[in-house]
Amino acid sequence: MDHEDPHVHGSSFGAAATAYAEHRPDYAQTALRWALDLAPGSRVLDLGAGTGKLTASLVALGLDVVAVEPDPAMLAELRRGLPTVQALSGSAESIPLPDASVDAVVAGNAMHWFDMAVAGPEIARVLTPGGTLAGLWNVIDDRVDWAAGLDQVSGPAAMGPRDTFSRWRAATAHLYLTRDGAPAGFGSPEQAEFPHGQRRTADSLVATLGTRAGMLVMPEPDRAAALDRIRAFLGSRPETADGEFTLPMLTGVLRVRRT
């Protein structure tokens, strides 16, 4: 595991809610379909929904979606962008829904913030029997040469262990467990990756990486130096120096079923 402070990092996004909404990618719909294909119904909770990136993808699939988010600024952005979605203030550790009220709980780039000793039983409580818990992460495909170079120059604040193809499985495989290794009411995990991509320019990719939690909590001189280093790298590569390019990505999914 990395040594993030979940309270500091997890609460860092609100001040950057608008930038988060603008620059963070959506999720591959093939990944969502796989995440949910074992769910017994179509009522889905997006937990730790942020500004609604994953929520919007779930709505596009025609699902009955409720979103729960603890940060007021992120929740306001979600409500502004998706006014027809039921969006509630709450957290993984305190979900404002009745027992057995959803068929699936999904979390987009959020499950690693959950305290599963508390959140695990709470998620199991709101799931119907046989319901699915799925975490999704957008990861950079570091099998591509320039993307591997980006990982190397960015540093761990911008590119953590869950952010690349080569590391995400090991970094997320345990996240449905409590700290003492108990499964918190869920069965065996499955993981899979699905092709994805995001159209970026050098400037917009720098802005995207600037919304990572580790970057948001850095002292401003260190943050500026890190972003300048990333910008210089992108300017040095023929794939990224001029105009738009596709950031090679995959959406990785961890799914488990309520036992």
Side-chain angles (χ1 to χ4, degrees):
M1 288 182 65
D2 52 336
H3 299 287
E4 296 169 339
D5 182 332
H7 302 291
V8 173
H9 287 74
S11 62
S12 64
F13 296 111
T18 301
Y20 191 103
E22 179 181 355
H23 293 292
R24 285 295 184 102
D26 61 3
Y27 297 84
Q29 292 215 337
T30 51
L32 279 174
R33 291 188 180 96
W34 184 84
L36 297 172
D37 69 4
L38 300 178
S42 61
R43 176 72 166 165
V44 180
L45 165 62
D46 183 2
L47 188 56
T51 62
K53 288 287 183 175
L54 179 55
T55 313
S57 297
L58 294 165
V59 170
L61 289 177
L63 298 166
D64 180 12
V65 185
V66 57
V68 169
E69 167 57 35
D71 187 279
M74 301 288 271
L75 185 60
E77 188 69 31
L78 189 157
R79 287 171 170 163
R80 184 194 64 78
L82 297 167
T84 63
V85 172
Q86 183 185 15
L88 306 174
S89 178
S91 68
E93 296 76 21
S94 182
I95 302 172
L97 294 176
D99 294 358
S101 57
V102 295
D103 301 298
V105 174
V106 298
N109 280 79
M111 193 171 168
H112 47 278
W113 304 125
F114 300 169
D115 176 2
M116 288 301 286
V118 180
E122 184 71 346
I123 292 167
R125 178 186 67 79
V126 301
L127 278 171
T128 57
T132 297
L133 167 63
L136 296 94
W137 291 268
N138 279 319
V139 301
I140 290 177
D141 190 351
D142 56 353
R143 296 170 296 185
V144 176
D145 182 64
W146 76 261
L150 176 65
D151 177 37
Q152 292 171 3
V153 303
S154 294
M159 297 277 279
R162 295 176 301 272
D163 295 326
T164 58
F165 169 78
S166 63
R167 301 194 298 267
W168 89 271
R169 283 193 174 220
T172 63
H174 64 282
L175 290 180
Y176 73 104
L177 302 171
T178 63
R179 287 195 186 97
D180 61 4
F186 299 100
S188 298
E190 299 176 273
Q191 291 172 292
E193 303 96 2
F194 300 85
H196 198 27
Q198 185 186 26
R199 293 296 289 172
R200 296 281 79 183
T201 64
D203 286 342
S204 66
L205 181 51
V206 169
T208 301
L209 294 174
T211 68
R212 298 286 174 85
M215 297 293 288
L216 292 172
V217 301
M218 289 177 75
E220 184 53 36
D222 296 340
R223 182 174 188 272
L227 294 176
D228 285 346
R229 186 172 66 247
I230 294 167
R231 187 177 290 108
F233 170 80
L234 294 172
S236 74
R237 295 289 306 213
E239 302 93 338
T240 57
D242 297 308
E244 282 195 338
F245 54 87
T246 298
L247 177 64
M249 299 168 58
L250 303 109
T251 298
V253 185
L254 167 72
R255 74 178 182 188
V256 290
R257 298 185 74 188
R258 180 186 166 191
T259 54

